[in-house]
Amino acid sequence: MRIVDLDASSRKNLLDELLKRSPNHYGAYGEQVNAILSEVKEKGDEALFAYTKRFDGAHITRETFKVTQSEIEEAYRQVDPELLQVIRRSLKNIRSFHEKQKRNSWFDSQPNGTLLGQKITPLASVGVYVPGGKAVYPSSVLMNIVPAKVAGVERIVMTTPPGADGKISVNTLVAAREAGVDEIYKVGGAQAIGALAYGTESIPKVDKIVGPGNIYVALAKKAVYGFVSIDSIAGPSEILVLADETANPRYVAADLLSQAEHDEMASAILVTTSRTLAREVSREVDAFLEKLTRKNILEKSLENYGWILVAETLREAIDTANAIASEHLEIVTRDPFQVMTKIRNAGAIFIGEYASEPLGDYFAGPNHVLPTNGTAKFFSPLGVDDFIKKSSLVYYSREALEEVHEDVIRFARAEGLTAHANSIAVRFEEGKE
């Protein structure tokens, strides 16, 4: 991996390079995505079946479109029993973590006859997109469905592209059933997003779409935002390790590679105050590359978006981590909890040398659907709050309104909204000429 001295110039260059990975820079695909969405909106199921044949090589009909109970039962017969038990243990952790996020409606009443509050209501329906093809991620199935179930969503619809044989990965099907999905349809890509957003003969429109996907899926989600809500426009995966001279270079190298293997645009960055650690990590990375199966992807990922940055001080290293706002941030320093208090921007923070990032991907419980491309400065991980909506509650007695009605009228008239003012005034016009 390249080793660079950290200064204002190198940090700016790094941030500029990272931003190029954002889906917002892939406008060349937008026209094709919009054409797919328009056809799905116009032709419904017919368009879905045609695109599934074109892109996935699978012949799907209305009779085979929806995953049946018998297909799910067959998946349970085929799934690795040990994997099933791991899925269930992971599911328990994920559910337990998200149940702690639940919020209740609240009300605040005062003796003067006012009642204010907030009503929490789960979304009625949610669409979960799950990638297929070469990538099969049952962990992502759990992470997207469980918080929706905990929130109380009534109807959870999952879409995922089938293989050329018209079948879905057994691991995906089992994970979805274990998590509590209600319906599963064999469709992927931008066309699946269109179906969830607009509705077709087979798939009723949902209120929100969540889940990762390729650039076509990301741009389709961006395009339908407003017809439905979405979780985020996710970019390629990324990890930043913040380390000092106490870190184990072999552990650090392994963790950097754990994200670099996702795809050629994944980012892996070490920010350290130790030049010795920087050199040792670089050597460990080279050694691991000779043994890992996704060597070609790893090499291209590191060549494009892999850096080791050497900072003069820990404060400078922390500032750089906050500027990058990485999806995953590992802190491997002498006092990682103290450093953690100074981190403002990160999707998920892993503290200490045994909190390896894949622990969060699969098992610990916090959600692994995280903000990318610097959006951790203003976005949060997927959670229960993403599957609820809030309504404000207002009640005033006549006596309470009478106390303030002239203030409201004055405010409305100051804005030139006489009908607003009149709406209050008519309630107290008795006895007035």
Side-chain angles (χ1 to χ4, degrees):
M1 292 180 68
R2 78 194 93 173
I3 300 175
V4 178
D5 288 333
L6 183 58
D7 56 27
S9 176
S10 61
R11 188 163 87 172
K12 182 181 184 303
N13 291 339
L14 171 59
L15 293 172
D16 289 344
E17 286 298 311
L18 291 176
L19 285 174
K20 293 178 182 178
R21 302 157 61 249
S22 169
N24 292 319
H25 289 79
Y26 297 152
Y29 298 91
E31 187 174 335
Q32 184 177 354
V33 167
N34 288 333
I36 293 172
L37 293 174
S38 295
E39 191 162 356
V40 170
K41 192 174 185 180
E42 179 183 350
K43 298 183 179 179
D45 283 354
E46 178 187 344
L48 299 183
F49 302 153
Y51 281 122
T52 301
K53 181 65 176 177
R54 175 180 169 186
F55 295 133
D56 302 303
H59 178 66
I60 299 295
T61 65
R62 192 155 292 146
E63 291 71 33
T64 61
F65 189 30
K66 185 177 180 181
V67 172
T68 64
Q69 179 62 27
S70 62
E71 286 178 288
I72 293 174
E73 291 172 355
E74 178 64 21
Y76 271 88
R77 288 191 289 270
Q78 295 181 18
V79 72
D80 179 349
E82 292 185 0
L83 175 61
L84 176 56
Q85 294 308 312
V86 170
I87 286 174
R88 287 173 173 168
R89 290 194 290 271
S90 175
L91 181 60
K92 181 180 178 181
N93 293 340
I94 297 167
R95 184 182 294 116
S96 176
F97 179 87
H98 287 86
E99 283 176 346
K100 293 178 176 65
Q101 297 179 348
K102 289 184 70 173
R103 292 202 274 172
N104 297 315
S105 301
W106 60 268
F107 311 92
D108 179 32
S109 60
Q110 297 295 326
N112 67 355
T114 65
L115 184 149
L116 304 176
Q118 184 172 266
K119 185 175 184 293
I120 304 292
T121 307
L123 301 183
S125 59
V126 167
V128 174
Y129 185 86
V130 175
K134 297 178 182 178
V136 177
Y137 298 124
S139 61
S140 186
V141 175
L142 303 182
M143 294 291 183
N144 282 277
I145 294 176
V146 170
K149 291 294 291 186
V150 170
V153 175
E154 297 173 12
R155 175 173 169 266
I156 302 175
V157 180
M158 190 178 95
T159 64
T160 188
D165 59 0
K167 296 182 178 181
I168 306 297
S169 159
V170 297
N171 293 344
T172 297
L173 289 181
V174 167
R177 173 51 60 90
E178 290 289 319
V181 76
D182 296 301
E183 303 164 32
I184 306 173
Y185 293 92
K186 302 173 184 177
V187 61
Q191 59 272 24
I193 303 303
L196 293 169
Y198 307 132
T200 71
E201 300 91 327
S202 298
I203 304 179
K205 179 184 183 299
V206 300
D207 297 321
K208 185 166 188 171
I209 302 172
V210 301
N214 61 19
I215 186 60
Y216 296 99
V217 170
L219 290 178
K221 287 170 69 177
K222 183 178 180 181
V224 301
Y225 179 64
F227 290 93
V228 293
S229 180
I230 61 172
D231 52 350
S232 64
I233 308 295
S237 188
E238 54 200 30
I239 185 172
L240 187 149
V241 179
L242 182 59
D244 62 16
E245 72 281 357
T246 65
N248 184 316
R250 187 168 176 82
Y251 295 174
V252 172
D255 292 355
L256 291 170
L257 293 172
S258 73
Q259 291 307 292
E261 76 171 341
H262 270 294
D263 63 61
E264 295 170 6
M265 296 186 70
S267 170
I269 301 170
L270 166 63
V271 182
T272 181
T273 53
S274 170
R275 190 172 299 278
T276 298
L277 180 73
R279 290 192 292 263
E280 291 175 346
V281 168
S282 183
R283 284 196 294 268
E284 291 287 355
V285 165
D286 291 340
F288 277 129
L289 285 175
E290 297 306 314
K291 297 186 280 186
L292 296 171
T293 57
R294 296 167 71 88
K295 180 180 179 181
N296 289 339
I297 292 175
L298 286 164
E299 287 181 334
K300 290 179 181 177
S301 172
L302 295 177
E303 179 183 350
N304 293 328
Y305 301 106
W307 286 273
I308 297 176
L309 304 176
V310 181
E312 290 188 6
T313 66
L314 185 58
R315 180 73 261 177
E316 185 182 28
I318 292 170
D319 289 345
T320 299
N322 281 323
I324 293 173
S326 185
E327 177 187 19
H328 307 98
L329 171 64
E330 290 188 2
I331 303 174
V332 194
T333 60
R334 179 174 283 103
D335 189 352
F337 285 95
Q338 196 273 338
V339 171
M340 179 271 295
T341 65
K342 299 178 180 178
I343 296 297
R344 295 180 57 87
N345 305 321
I349 303 172
F350 300 82
I351 304 169
E353 66 180 0
Y354 293 105
S356 176
E357 187 280 332
L359 182 66
D361 274 351
Y362 297 113
F363 203 77
N367 210 289
H368 77 198
V369 180
L370 303 166
T372 58
N373 292 114
T375 60
K377 293 176 180 177
F378 45 83
F379 282 145
S380 304
L382 189 72
V384 172
D385 278 357
D386 290 286
F387 299 98
I388 63 169
K389 58 191 181 71
K390 291 163 276 191
S391 301
S392 299
L393 301 174
V394 180
Y395 166 80
Y396 268 57
S397 67
R398 176 181 175 82
E399 292 73 21
L401 181 60
E402 188 171 16
E403 288 181 18
V404 301
H405 79 284
E406 291 183 355
D407 289 341
V408 180
I409 291 171
R410 188 171 289 108
F411 221 141
R413 287 174 175 168
E415 294 188 348
L417 299 176
T418 55
H420 280 62
N422 185 62
S423 174
I424 299 294
V426 294
R427 287 164 166 79
F428 301 98
E429 59 189 4
E430 288 183 13
K432 294 184 179 181
E433 294 184 2

